[in-house]
Amino acid sequence: MDSVLMNKRKIERDTGLKWVVKRDALAIEILELLNRRECDRKLITQEIVDKIRTGTGLDAIGVRLRNREHFPYFVASGFPEHFVELENSLSFPQSDEPVDTDSRCNPVLRCNCGRLLQGRADPLRTFISPGGTFWTNHMSRLVDSTVGHDRGPLVRDFCQAEGYESVALIPIRGSDDVIGLLQLNDRRPACFSADVIRFF
């Protein structure tokens, strides 16, 4: 039994070490891209997304950026085209019901992306990190365990419907404001750890 436990710990340690090496290399590559003199934001963002996707092996990565009161995908890689079309606008309802608006007549953005972008995510929930990131390694379990009031009327479940189990939605901040979102999706469960989430 002791040898099994020792082997398990060694595997965990080796896996952790591999992530540290990958993480450091990825950080250097991203910083080099950000410090490039080239001014084409879309091209640089696409290259960063490609580096993250290659470095992590994740199925799909997207970056949403603010465009007035909306946050469409600025860059998306690996998502099916129909998913990007469905998810590109977070304010459209699923049916013919009217778009919900806040007290300033801005659209209320839907689903977990919208909650994070508009500061409506509950920081006390276990799937919200101390830095304000939504993440889960088992989306189907999370959906099954949150019903009614916990989920809210604006949840669309497109990620789960597409079969994504590991999902991370990481706010991109500019000064004190959220200006966008980095979205990491994979159909495999258990792709993330707290260390991976802290890094991003």
Side-chain angles (χ1 to χ4, degrees):
M1 186 69 166
D2 287 340
S3 64
V4 171
L5 186 59
M6 284 174 59
N7 282 340
K8 184 179 177 198
R9 286 185 179 154
K10 181 181 183 311
I11 290 167
E12 287 171 353
R13 188 173 58 248
D14 290 350
T15 304
L17 184 60
K18 283 179 189 169
W19 163 244
V20 169
V21 171
K22 264 192 203 177
R23 177 195 68 193
D24 290 350
L26 186 56
I28 290 167
E29 290 175 346
I30 290 171
L31 287 171
E32 285 173 350
L33 284 168
L34 290 171
N35 286 313
R36 225 165 49 186
R37 291 188 178 187
E38 188 176 318
C39 294
D40 187 336
R41 286 188 327 152
K42 189 150 193 160
L43 180 62
I44 289 172
T45 306
Q46 182 66 61
E47 288 186 47
I48 289 170
V49 163
D50 291 343
K51 293 275 184 199
I52 294 171
R53 196 162 169 219
T54 301
T56 60
L58 293 172
D59 288 338
I61 298 176
V63 172
R64 293 180 181 274
L65 288 181
R66 181 191 301 275
N67 183 357
R68 297 184 184 162
E69 70 272 14
H70 295 281
F71 291 84
Y73 282 113
F74 187 64
V75 169
S77 176
F79 292 107
E81 195 174 315
H82 67 271
F83 180 88
V84 174
E85 286 175 16
L86 281 171
E87 280 284 273
N88 207 36
S89 174
L90 296 170
S91 61
F92 292 152
Q94 291 185 61
S95 63
D96 294 334
E97 60 195 48
V99 173
D100 295 312
T101 56
D102 63 17
S103 59
R104 295 180 180 167
C105 294
N106 292 321
V108 174
L109 303 181
R110 292 170 178 265
C111 221
N112 292 309
C113 289
R115 285 179 181 166
L116 288 177
L117 289 164
Q118 292 184 320
R120 295 183 286 113
D122 182 353
L124 300 178
R125 301 310 299 257
T126 56
F127 45 81
I128 303 293
S129 78
T133 289
F134 167 93
W135 70 288
T136 179
N137 279 317
H138 300 281
M139 181 60 94
S140 56
R141 285 187 203 165
L142 181 63
V143 169
D144 289 345
S145 68
T146 55
V147 293
H149 178 70
D150 282 347
R151 300 189 64 224
L154 302 176
V155 174
R156 304 189 302 185
D157 292 334
F158 291 157
C159 283
Q160 187 208 12
E162 196 58 46
Y164 294 118
E165 281 296 321
S166 296
V167 177
L169 307 171
I170 303 160
I172 300 171
R173 301 180 193 282
S175 301
D176 297 328
D177 197 17
V178 175
I179 61 167
L181 196 69
L182 172 65
Q183 180 174 351
L184 311 175
N185 283 34
D186 200 281
R187 290 184 173 86
R188 297 166 297 176
C191 286
F192 304 126
S193 66
D195 187 44
V196 170
I197 297 303
R198 270 192 304 273
F199 169 71
F200 284 109

